[in-house]
Amino acid sequence: MDNNELLNAMQTMLKSELSPIKEQLNNIEKRLEILEIKQEVTQNKIDNLTFRVATIEHNQNKEFKKLNDEVDTLIEVMEAKGVLPKVE
């Protein structure tokens, strides 16, 4: 066997040995891509929930302020009519 034949035999052997490793790497790449997509979807859901919570908090704060203003107005009217004693 000359050097070229030996080299070709070694290349063939290496290719056959590396083939399963390449296949495993391809499978790992595919799984990683799937995980990245799932992570992106999950992040979008978290972002949407965060926005919804912020919106709910904002609306609640507006409603509480409105209710407090209405209660203050009611108290002032009742104090003016003598229904409630004036608090100083």
Side-chain angles (χ1 to χ4, degrees):
M1 199 181 243
D2 69 353
N3 285 341
N4 283 338
E5 290 174 342
L6 184 59
L7 184 60
N8 285 337
M10 289 174 67
Q11 285 177 341
T12 303
M13 186 181 75
L14 281 174
K15 284 181 183 179
S16 67
E17 292 290 323
L18 291 177
S19 180
I21 294 172
K22 285 183 179 180
E23 188 176 321
Q24 286 178 341
L25 284 174
N26 286 336
N27 289 338
I28 291 170
E29 280 182 352
K30 289 176 186 175
R31 291 174 66 195
L32 182 58
E33 287 176 11
I34 292 169
L35 288 174
E36 287 172 343
I37 291 169
K38 287 182 177 183
Q39 189 274 332
E40 187 176 324
V41 168
T42 302
Q43 185 61 50
N44 287 339
K45 287 179 180 180
I46 290 171
D47 291 343
N48 288 340
L49 283 173
T50 302
F51 175 75
R52 289 173 62 188
V53 167
T55 302
I56 290 169
E57 287 175 345
H58 174 73
N59 289 338
Q60 283 179 338
N61 289 338
K62 278 179 33 179
E63 289 299 315
F64 285 137
K65 184 175 181 336
K66 181 180 173 185
L67 286 173
N68 284 336
D69 288 345
E70 289 173 358
V71 168
D72 289 344
T73 302
L74 182 61
I75 289 172
E76 288 179 20
V77 168
M78 291 176 81
E79 286 176 345
K81 292 188 175 188
V83 176
L84 285 177
K86 288 190 179 189
V87 178
E88 310 241 352

Coordinates of all heavy atoms in Angstrom, one line a residue:
M1 N 0.9 -1.2 0.0 CA 0.0 0.0 0.0 C 0.9 1.2 0.0 O 1.8 1.4 0.9 CB -0.9 0.0 1.3 CG -2.1 0.8 1.2 SD -3.0 0.7 2.7 CE -4.5 0.0 2.1
D2 N 0.7 2.1 -1.0 CA 1.5 3.3 -1.0 C 0.9 4.4 -0.1 O -0.2 4.2 0.5 CB 1.7 3.8 -2.4 CG 0.5 4.3 -3.1 OD1 -0.6 4.2 -2.5 OD2 0.6 4.9 -4.2
N3 N 1.5 5.5 0.0 CA 1.1 6.6 0.8 C -0.3 7.2 0.5 O -1.1 7.5 1.3 CB 2.1 7.8 0.8 CG 3.3 7.4 1.6 OD1 3.3 6.5 2.5 ND2 4.4 8.1 1.4
N4 N -0.6 7.3 -0.8 CA -1.9 7.8 -1.3 C -3.0 6.9 -0.9 O -4.1 7.3 -0.5 CB -1.9 8.1 -2.8 CG -1.1 9.3 -3.2 OD1 -1.0 10.2 -2.3 ND2 -0.7 9.4 -4.4
E5 N -2.8 5.6 -1.1 CA -3.8 4.6 -0.7 C -4.0 4.6 0.8 O -5.2 4.5 1.2 CB -3.4 3.2 -1.2 CG -3.4 3.0 -2.7 CD -2.9 1.7 -3.1 OE1 -2.1 1.0 -2.3 OE2 -3.1 1.3 -4.3
L6 N -3.0 4.7 1.5 CA -3.1 4.8 3.0 C -3.8 6.0 3.4 O -4.7 6.0 4.3 CB -1.7 4.7 3.6 CG -1.6 4.7 5.1 CD1 -2.3 3.5 5.7 CD2 -0.2 4.7 5.6
L7 N -3.5 7.1 2.8 CA -4.2 8.4 3.1 C -5.7 8.3 2.7 O -6.5 8.7 3.5 CB -3.5 9.6 2.3 CG -4.0 11.0 2.6 CD1 -3.9 11.3 4.1 CD2 -3.3 12.0 1.7
N8 N -6.0 7.7 1.6 CA -7.4 7.6 1.2 C -8.1 6.7 2.1 O -9.3 6.9 2.5 CB -7.5 7.0 -0.3 CG -7.2 8.1 -1.3 OD1 -7.3 9.3 -1.0 ND2 -6.7 7.7 -2.5
A9 N -7.5 5.6 2.6 CA -8.1 4.7 3.5 C -8.4 5.4 4.8 O -9.4 5.2 5.5 CB -7.2 3.4 3.7
M10 N -7.4 6.2 5.3 CA -7.6 6.9 6.5 C -8.7 7.9 6.4 O -9.5 8.1 7.3 CB -6.3 7.6 7.0 CG -5.2 6.6 7.4 SD -3.6 7.4 7.7 CE -4.0 8.4 9.1
Q11 N -8.8 8.6 5.3 CA -9.9 9.6 5.1 C -11.2 8.9 5.1 O -12.2 9.4 5.7 CB -9.7 10.4 3.7 CG -8.6 11.4 3.8 CD -8.4 12.0 2.4 OE1 -8.8 11.5 1.4 NE2 -7.7 13.2 2.4
T12 N -11.3 7.8 4.4 CA -12.6 7.0 4.4 C -13.0 6.6 5.8 O -14.1 6.7 6.2 CB -12.4 5.8 3.5 OG1 -12.1 6.3 2.2 CG2 -13.7 5.0 3.4
M13 N -12.0 6.1 6.5 CA -12.3 5.7 7.9 C -12.7 6.9 8.8 O -13.7 6.8 9.5 CB -11.0 5.1 8.5 CG -11.3 4.5 9.9 SD -9.8 3.7 10.6 CE -8.9 5.2 11.1
L14 N -12.0 8.0 8.6 CA -12.4 9.2 9.4 C -13.8 9.7 9.0 O -14.6 10.0 9.9 CB -11.4 10.3 9.2 CG -10.1 10.2 10.0 CD1 -9.1 11.3 9.6 CD2 -10.4 10.3 11.5
K15 N -14.1 9.7 7.7 CA -15.5 10.1 7.3 C -16.5 9.2 7.9 O -17.6 9.6 8.4 CB -15.6 10.1 5.8 CG -14.9 11.2 5.1 CD -15.1 11.2 3.6 CE -14.3 12.3 3.0 NZ -14.4 12.3 1.5
S16 N -16.3 7.9 7.9 CA -17.3 7.0 8.5 C -17.4 7.1 10.0 O -18.4 7.0 10.6 CB -16.9 5.5 8.1 OG -15.7 5.1 8.8
E17 N -16.3 7.5 10.6 CA -16.3 7.7 12.1 C -17.0 9.0 12.4 O -17.6 9.2 13.5 CB -14.9 7.7 12.7 CG -14.2 6.4 12.6 CD -14.8 5.4 13.6 OE1 -15.2 5.8 14.7 OE2 -14.8 4.2 13.3
L18 N -16.8 10.0 11.6 CA -17.3 11.4 11.9 C -18.8 11.5 11.5 O -19.5 12.4 11.9 CB -16.5 12.4 11.1 CG -15.1 12.7 11.7 CD1 -14.3 13.7 10.8 CD2 -15.1 13.1 13.1
S19 N -19.3 10.6 10.6 CA -20.6 10.7 10.1 C -21.7 10.7 11.3 O -22.5 11.6 11.3 CB -20.9 9.6 9.1 OG -22.2 9.7 8.6
P20 N -21.6 9.8 12.2 CA -22.5 9.8 13.3 C -22.4 11.1 14.2 O -23.4 11.6 14.7 CB -22.2 8.6 14.2 CG -21.3 7.7 13.3 CD -20.7 8.6 12.3
I21 N -21.2 11.6 14.3 CA -21.0 12.8 15.1 C -21.6 14.0 14.4 O -22.3 14.8 15.0 CB -19.5 13.0 15.3 CG1 -18.9 11.9 16.2 CG2 -19.3 14.4 16.0 CD1 -17.4 12.0 16.4
K22 N -21.5 14.1 13.1 CA -22.1 15.2 12.3 C -23.6 15.1 12.4 O -24.3 16.1 12.6 CB -21.7 15.1 10.9 CG -20.3 15.6 10.6 CD -20.0 15.6 9.1 CE -18.6 16.1 8.8 NZ -18.3 16.1 7.4
E23 N -24.2 13.8 12.4 CA -25.6 13.7 12.5 C -26.1 14.1 13.9 O -27.1 14.8 14.0 CB -25.9 12.2 12.3 CG -27.4 11.9 12.2 CD -27.7 10.5 11.9 OE1 -27.0 9.9 11.1 OE2 -28.7 9.9 12.5
Q24 N -25.3 13.8 14.9 CA -25.7 14.2 16.3 C -25.7 15.7 16.4 O -26.5 16.3 17.0 CB -24.8 13.6 17.3 CG -25.1 12.1 17.5 CD -24.1 11.5 18.6 OE1 -23.1 12.0 18.8 NE2 -24.5 10.3 19.1
L25 N -24.6 16.3 15.8 CA -24.5 17.8 15.8 C -25.7 18.4 15.1 O -26.3 19.5 15.6 CB -23.2 18.3 15.2 CG -22.0 18.1 16.1 CD1 -20.7 18.5 15.3 CD2 -22.1 18.9 17.4
N26 N -26.1 17.9 14.0 CA -27.3 18.4 13.2 C -28.5 18.3 14.1 O -29.3 19.2 14.1 CB -27.5 17.7 11.9 CG -26.4 18.0 10.9 OD1 -25.9 19.1 10.9 ND2 -26.2 17.2 9.9
N27 N -28.7 17.2 14.8 CA -29.9 17.0 15.7 C -29.8 18.0 16.8 O -30.9 18.6 17.2 CB -29.9 15.6 16.2 CG -30.3 14.6 15.2 OD1 -30.9 14.9 14.2 ND2 -29.9 13.3 15.4
I28 N -28.7 18.2 17.4 CA -28.5 19.2 18.4 C -28.8 20.6 17.9 O -29.5 21.4 18.6 CB -27.1 19.2 19.0 CG1 -26.9 17.9 19.8 CG2 -26.9 20.4 20.0 CD1 -25.5 17.6 20.3
E29 N -28.4 21.0 16.7 CA -28.7 22.3 16.1 C -30.2 22.5 15.9 O -30.7 23.5 16.2 CB -28.0 22.4 14.8 CG -26.5 22.8 14.9 CD -25.9 23.0 13.5 OE1 -26.5 22.7 12.5 OE2 -24.7 23.4 13.5
K30 N -30.9 21.4 15.4 CA -32.3 21.5 15.2 C -33.0 21.7 16.6 O -33.9 22.6 16.7 CB -32.8 20.2 14.6 CG -32.4 20.1 13.1 CD -32.9 18.8 12.5 CE -32.3 18.6 11.1 NZ -32.7 17.3 10.5
R31 N -32.6 21.0 17.6 CA -33.2 21.1 18.9 C -33.0 22.5 19.5 O -33.8 23.1 20.1 CB -32.7 20.0 19.8 CG -33.2 18.6 19.4 CD -32.6 17.5 20.2 NE -33.1 17.6 21.6 CZ -32.5 17.0 22.6 NH1 -31.5 16.2 22.4 NH2 -33.0 17.1 23.8
L32 N -31.8 23.0 19.3 CA -31.4 24.3 19.7 C -32.3 25.4 19.0 O -32.8 26.3 19.7 CB -29.9 24.6 19.5 CG -29.4 26.0 20.0 CD1 -29.7 26.1 21.5 CD2 -27.9 26.1 19.7
E33 N -32.5 25.2 17.8 CA -33.4 26.2 17.0 C -34.8 26.2 17.6 O -35.4 27.2 17.8 CB -33.4 25.8 15.5 CG -32.1 26.2 14.8 CD -32.1 25.8 13.3 OE1 -33.2 25.4 12.8 OE2 -31.1 25.8 12.7
I34 N -35.3 25.0 17.9 CA -36.6 24.8 18.5 C -36.7 25.5 19.8 O -37.6 26.2 20.1 CB -37.0 23.3 18.6 CG1 -37.2 22.8 17.2 CG2 -38.2 23.2 19.4 CD1 -37.4 21.3 17.1
L35 N -35.6 25.3 20.6 CA -35.6 25.9 22.0 C -35.5 27.5 21.8 O -36.2 28.2 22.6 CB -34.4 25.4 22.8 CG -34.5 24.0 23.3 CD1 -33.2 23.6 23.9 CD2 -35.7 23.9 24.3
E36 N -34.8 28.0 20.9 CA -34.7 29.4 20.7 C -36.1 30.0 20.3 O -36.5 31.0 20.8 CB -33.7 29.7 19.6 CG -32.3 29.6 20.1 CD -31.2 29.7 19.0 OE1 -31.6 29.7 17.8 OE2 -30.0 29.9 19.3
I37 N -36.8 29.3 19.4 CA -38.1 29.7 19.0 C -39.1 29.7 20.2 O -39.8 30.6 20.5 CB -38.7 28.8 17.9 CG1 -37.9 29.1 16.6 CG2 -40.2 29.1 17.7 CD1 -38.2 28.1 15.5
K38 N -39.0 28.6 21.0 CA -39.9 28.5 22.2 C -39.5 29.6 23.2 O -40.4 30.2 23.8 CB -39.7 27.1 22.9 CG -40.4 26.0 22.1 CD -40.2 24.7 22.9 CE -41.0 23.6 22.2 NZ -40.9 22.3 22.9
Q39 N -38.3 29.9 23.3 CA -37.8 31.0 24.3 C -38.4 32.3 23.8 O -38.9 33.2 24.6 CB -36.3 31.0 24.4 CG -35.8 32.0 25.5 CD -35.6 33.4 25.0 OE1 -35.4 33.7 23.8 NE2 -35.7 34.3 25.9
E40 N -38.3 32.6 22.5 CA -38.9 33.8 21.9 C -40.4 33.9 22.1 O -40.9 35.0 22.5 CB -38.5 33.9 20.4 CG -38.9 35.2 19.8 CD -38.4 35.3 18.3 OE1 -37.4 34.7 18.0 OE2 -39.2 35.9 17.5
V41 N -41.1 32.8 21.9 CA -42.5 32.9 22.1 C -42.8 33.1 23.6 O -43.7 33.9 23.9 CB -43.1 31.5 21.7 CG1 -44.6 31.4 22.2 CG2 -43.1 31.4 20.2
T42 N -42.1 32.5 24.5 CA -42.3 32.7 25.9 C -42.0 34.1 26.3 O -42.7 34.7 27.1 CB -41.4 31.7 26.7 OG1 -41.7 30.4 26.4 CG2 -41.6 31.9 28.2
Q43 N -40.9 34.7 25.8 CA -40.6 36.1 26.1 C -41.7 37.0 25.6 O -42.0 38.0 26.3 CB -39.2 36.5 25.4 CG -38.8 37.9 25.8 CD -38.5 38.0 27.3 OE1 -37.9 37.2 27.9 NE2 -39.1 39.1 27.9
N44 N -42.2 36.7 24.4 CA -43.3 37.6 23.9 C -44.6 37.5 24.8 O -45.2 38.5 25.1 CB -43.7 37.1 22.5 CG -42.7 37.6 21.5 OD1 -41.9 38.5 21.7 ND2 -42.7 36.9 20.3
K45 N -44.8 36.3 25.3 CA -46.0 36.1 26.3 C -45.7 36.9 27.6 O -46.6 37.6 28.1 CB -46.2 34.6 26.6 CG -46.8 33.9 25.5 CD -47.0 32.4 25.8 CE -47.6 31.6 24.7 NZ -47.8 30.2 25.1
I46 N -44.5 36.9 28.0 CA -44.1 37.6 29.3 C -44.3 39.1 29.0 O -44.8 39.8 29.9 CB -42.7 37.2 29.7 CG1 -42.7 35.8 30.3 CG2 -42.2 38.2 30.8 CD1 -41.3 35.3 30.6
D47 N -43.8 39.6 27.9 CA -43.9 41.0 27.5 C -45.4 41.4 27.5 O -45.7 42.5 28.0 CB -43.2 41.3 26.2 CG -41.7 41.2 26.3 OD1 -41.1 41.2 27.4 OD2 -41.0 41.1 25.2
N48 N -46.2 40.6 26.8 CA -47.6 40.9 26.7 C -48.3 40.9 28.1 O -49.1 41.8 28.4 CB -48.3 39.9 25.9 CG -48.0 40.0 24.4 OD1 -47.6 41.1 24.0 ND2 -48.2 38.9 23.7
L49 N -47.9 40.0 29.0 CA -48.5 40.0 30.3 C -48.0 41.2 31.1 O -48.8 41.8 31.9 CB -48.1 38.7 31.1 CG -48.8 37.4 30.7 CD1 -48.2 36.2 31.4 CD2 -50.3 37.6 31.1
T50 N -46.8 41.6 31.0 CA -46.2 42.7 31.7 C -47.0 44.0 31.2 O -47.4 44.8 32.0 CB -44.7 42.9 31.4 OG1 -44.1 41.7 31.8 CG2 -44.1 44.1 32.1
F51 N -47.2 44.1 29.9 CA -48.0 45.2 29.4 C -49.4 45.2 29.9 O -49.9 46.3 30.3 CB -48.0 45.2 27.9 CG -48.8 46.3 27.3 CD1 -48.4 47.6 27.2 CD2 -50.1 46.0 26.7 CE1 -49.1 48.6 26.7 CE2 -50.8 47.0 26.2 CZ -50.4 48.3 26.2
R52 N -50.0 44.1 29.9 CA -51.4 44.0 30.4 C -51.5 44.4 31.9 O -52.4 45.1 32.3 CB -52.0 42.6 30.2 CG -52.2 42.3 28.7 CD -52.6 40.9 28.5 NE -53.9 40.6 29.2 CZ -54.4 39.3 29.2 NH1 -53.7 38.3 28.7 NH2 -55.5 39.1 29.8
V53 N -50.5 43.9 32.7 CA -50.5 44.3 34.1 C -50.3 45.8 34.3 O -51.0 46.4 35.1 CB -49.4 43.5 34.9 CG1 -49.2 44.0 36.3 CG2 -49.8 42.0 35.0
A54 N -49.4 46.3 33.5 CA -49.2 47.8 33.6 C -50.5 48.6 33.3 O -50.8 49.6 33.9 CB -48.0 48.2 32.8
T55 N -51.1 48.1 32.2 CA -52.4 48.7 31.8 C -53.5 48.6 32.9 O -54.1 49.6 33.2 CB -52.9 48.1 30.5 OG1 -51.9 48.2 29.5 CG2 -54.2 48.8 30.0
I56 N -53.6 47.5 33.5 CA -54.6 47.3 34.5 C -54.2 48.2 35.7 O -55.1 48.8 36.3 CB -54.6 45.8 35.0 CG1 -55.3 45.0 33.9 CG2 -55.4 45.6 36.3 CD1 -55.1 43.5 34.1
E57 N -53.0 48.2 36.1 CA -52.6 49.1 37.2 C -52.9 50.6 36.9 O -53.4 51.3 37.8 CB -51.1 48.9 37.5 CG -50.7 47.6 38.2 CD -49.2 47.4 38.3 OE1 -48.4 48.1 37.7 OE2 -48.9 46.5 39.1
H58 N -52.6 51.0 35.7 CA -52.9 52.4 35.3 C -54.4 52.7 35.4 O -54.8 53.7 36.0 CB -52.3 52.6 33.9 CG -52.7 54.0 33.4 ND1 -52.1 55.1 33.8 CD2 -53.6 54.4 32.4 CE1 -52.6 56.2 33.2 NE2 -53.5 55.7 32.3
N59 N -55.2 51.8 34.9 CA -56.6 52.0 34.9 C -57.2 52.0 36.3 O -58.0 52.7 36.7 CB -57.3 50.9 34.0 CG -57.1 51.1 32.6 OD1 -56.8 52.2 32.1 ND2 -57.2 50.1 31.8
Q60 N -56.6 51.1 37.2 CA -57.1 51.0 38.6 C -56.7 52.3 39.3 O -57.5 52.9 40.0 CB -56.4 49.9 39.3 CG -57.0 48.5 39.0 CD -56.4 47.4 39.7 OE1 -55.2 47.5 40.1 NE2 -57.1 46.3 39.9
N61 N -55.5 52.9 39.0 CA -55.1 54.1 39.7 C -56.0 55.2 39.2 O -56.4 56.1 40.1 CB -53.6 54.4 39.3 CG -52.7 53.5 40.1 OD1 -53.0 52.9 41.1 ND2 -51.5 53.4 39.5
K62 N -56.4 55.3 37.9 CA -57.3 56.3 37.5 C -58.7 56.2 38.2 O -59.2 57.2 38.6 CB -57.5 56.2 36.0 CG -56.4 56.9 35.2 CD -56.6 56.7 33.6 CE -57.9 56.7 33.1 NZ -58.0 56.7 31.6
E63 N -59.2 55.0 38.3 CA -60.5 54.7 38.9 C -60.4 55.1 40.4 O -61.4 55.7 40.9 CB -60.9 53.3 38.7 CG -61.3 53.0 37.3 CD -62.5 53.8 36.8 OE1 -63.5 54.0 37.5 OE2 -62.4 54.3 35.7
F64 N -59.4 54.7 41.1 CA -59.2 55.0 42.5 C -59.2 56.5 42.7 O -59.8 57.1 43.6 CB -58.0 54.4 43.1 CG -58.2 52.9 43.4 CD1 -57.1 52.0 43.1 CD2 -59.3 52.4 43.9 CE1 -57.3 50.7 43.3 CE2 -59.5 51.0 44.2 CZ -58.5 50.2 43.9
K65 N -58.5 57.2 41.8 CA -58.4 58.7 42.0 C -59.8 59.3 41.7 O -60.2 60.2 42.5 CB -57.4 59.3 41.0 CG -57.2 60.7 41.1 CD -56.1 61.2 40.1 CE -55.9 62.6 40.2 NZ -55.9 63.7 40.4
K66 N -60.5 58.8 40.7 CA -61.8 59.3 40.4 C -62.8 59.0 41.6 O -63.5 59.9 42.0 CB -62.4 58.6 39.2 CG -63.7 59.0 38.8 CD -64.2 58.3 37.5 CE -65.6 58.6 37.2 NZ -66.1 57.8 36.0
L67 N -62.7 57.8 42.2 CA -63.5 57.5 43.4 C -63.2 58.4 44.6 O -64.1 58.8 45.3 CB -63.4 56.0 43.7 CG -64.1 55.0 42.8 CD1 -63.7 53.6 43.2 CD2 -65.6 55.2 42.9
N68 N -61.9 58.6 44.8 CA -61.5 59.5 45.9 C -62.0 60.9 45.7 O -62.5 61.5 46.7 CB -60.0 59.5 46.0 CG -59.5 58.2 46.7 OD1 -60.2 57.5 47.4 ND2 -58.2 57.9 46.4
D69 N -62.0 61.4 44.5 CA -62.5 62.7 44.2 C -64.0 62.8 44.4 O -64.5 63.7 45.0 CB -62.2 63.1 42.7 CG -60.7 63.5 42.5 OD1 -60.0 63.6 43.5 OD2 -60.3 63.5 41.3
E70 N -64.7 61.7 44.0 CA -66.1 61.7 44.2 C -66.5 61.6 45.7 O -67.4 62.3 46.2 CB -66.7 60.5 43.5 CG -66.7 60.7 42.0 CD -67.2 59.4 41.2 OE1 -67.5 58.4 41.8 OE2 -67.2 59.5 40.0
V71 N -65.7 60.8 46.5 CA -66.0 60.7 47.9 C -65.7 62.1 48.6 O -66.5 62.5 49.4 CB -65.1 59.6 48.5 CG1 -65.1 59.7 50.0 CG2 -65.6 58.2 48.1
D72 N -64.6 62.7 48.2 CA -64.3 64.0 48.7 C -65.4 65.0 48.4 O -65.8 65.8 49.3 CB -62.9 64.5 48.2 CG -61.8 63.8 48.7 OD1 -61.9 63.1 49.8 OD2 -60.7 63.9 48.1
T73 N -65.9 65.0 47.2 CA -67.0 65.9 46.8 C -68.2 65.6 47.6 O -68.9 66.5 48.1 CB -67.3 65.8 45.3 OG1 -66.1 66.0 44.6 CG2 -68.4 66.7 44.9
L74 N -68.6 64.3 47.8 CA -69.7 64.0 48.6 C -69.6 64.4 50.0 O -70.6 64.9 50.6 CB -69.9 62.4 48.5 CG -71.1 61.8 49.2 CD1 -72.4 62.4 48.7 CD2 -71.1 60.3 49.1
I75 N -68.4 64.2 50.6 CA -68.2 64.7 52.0 C -68.4 66.2 52.1 O -69.0 66.7 53.0 CB -66.8 64.2 52.5 CG1 -66.8 62.7 52.7 CG2 -66.4 64.9 53.8 CD1 -65.4 62.1 52.9
E76 N -67.8 66.9 51.1 CA -68.0 68.4 51.2 C -69.4 68.8 51.1 O -69.8 69.7 51.8 CB -67.1 69.0 50.1 CG -65.6 69.0 50.3 CD -64.8 69.6 49.2 OE1 -65.4 70.4 48.4 OE2 -63.6 69.3 49.1
V77 N -70.2 68.2 50.2 CA -71.6 68.5 50.0 C -72.3 68.2 51.3 O -73.2 69.0 51.8 CB -72.2 67.8 48.8 CG1 -73.7 67.9 48.8 CG2 -71.6 68.3 47.5
M78 N -72.1 67.0 51.9 CA -72.8 66.6 53.1 C -72.4 67.6 54.3 O -73.2 67.9 55.1 CB -72.5 65.2 53.4 CG -73.1 64.2 52.4 SD -72.7 62.5 52.7 CE -73.8 62.1 54.0
E79 N -71.1 68.0 54.3 CA -70.7 68.9 55.4 C -71.4 70.3 55.1 O -71.8 70.9 56.1 CB -69.2 69.1 55.4 CG -68.4 68.0 55.9 CD -66.9 68.1 55.8 OE1 -66.4 69.0 55.1 OE2 -66.2 67.4 56.5
A80 N -71.5 70.7 53.9 CA -72.1 72.0 53.6 C -73.6 72.0 54.0 O -74.2 73.0 54.4 CB -72.0 72.3 52.1
K81 N -74.3 70.8 53.8 CA -75.7 70.7 54.1 C -75.9 70.4 55.6 O -77.1 70.3 56.0 CB -76.4 69.6 53.3 CG -76.4 70.0 51.8 CD -77.3 69.0 51.0 CE -77.4 69.6 49.6 NZ -78.3 68.8 48.8
G82 N -74.9 70.2 56.3 CA -75.0 69.9 57.8 C -75.3 68.5 58.1 O -75.6 68.2 59.2
V83 N -75.2 67.6 57.1 CA -75.4 66.2 57.4 C -74.3 65.6 58.1 O -74.5 64.8 59.0 CB -75.7 65.4 56.0 CG1 -75.9 63.9 56.3 CG2 -76.9 66.0 55.3
L84 N -73.1 66.0 57.8 CA -71.9 65.6 58.5 C -71.3 66.8 59.2 O -71.3 67.9 58.6 CB -70.8 65.0 57.5 CG -71.1 63.7 56.9 CD1 -70.0 63.3 55.8 CD2 -71.1 62.6 57.9
P85 N -70.7 66.6 60.3 CA -70.0 67.7 61.0 C -68.7 68.0 60.2 O -68.1 67.1 59.6 CB -69.6 67.2 62.4 CG -69.7 65.7 62.3 CD -70.6 65.4 61.2
K86 N -68.3 69.2 60.2 CA -67.1 69.6 59.4 C -65.9 69.1 60.2 O -65.8 69.3 61.4 CB -67.0 71.1 59.3 CG -68.0 71.6 58.3 CD -67.8 73.1 57.9 CE -68.8 73.5 56.9 NZ -68.5 74.8 56.4
V87 N -65.0 68.6 59.4 CA -63.7 68.1 60.0 C -62.6 69.1 59.6 O -62.5 69.4 58.5 CB -63.3 66.7 59.5 CG1 -62.0 66.2 60.0 CG2 -64.4 65.7 59.8
E88 N -61.9 69.6 60.6 CA -60.9 70.6 60.3 C -59.5 70.1 60.5 O -59.1 69.2 61.1 CB -61.1 71.8 61.3 CG -62.5 72.2 61.3 CD -62.7 73.6 60.9 OE1 -61.8 74.4 60.7 OE2 -63.9 74.0 60.7

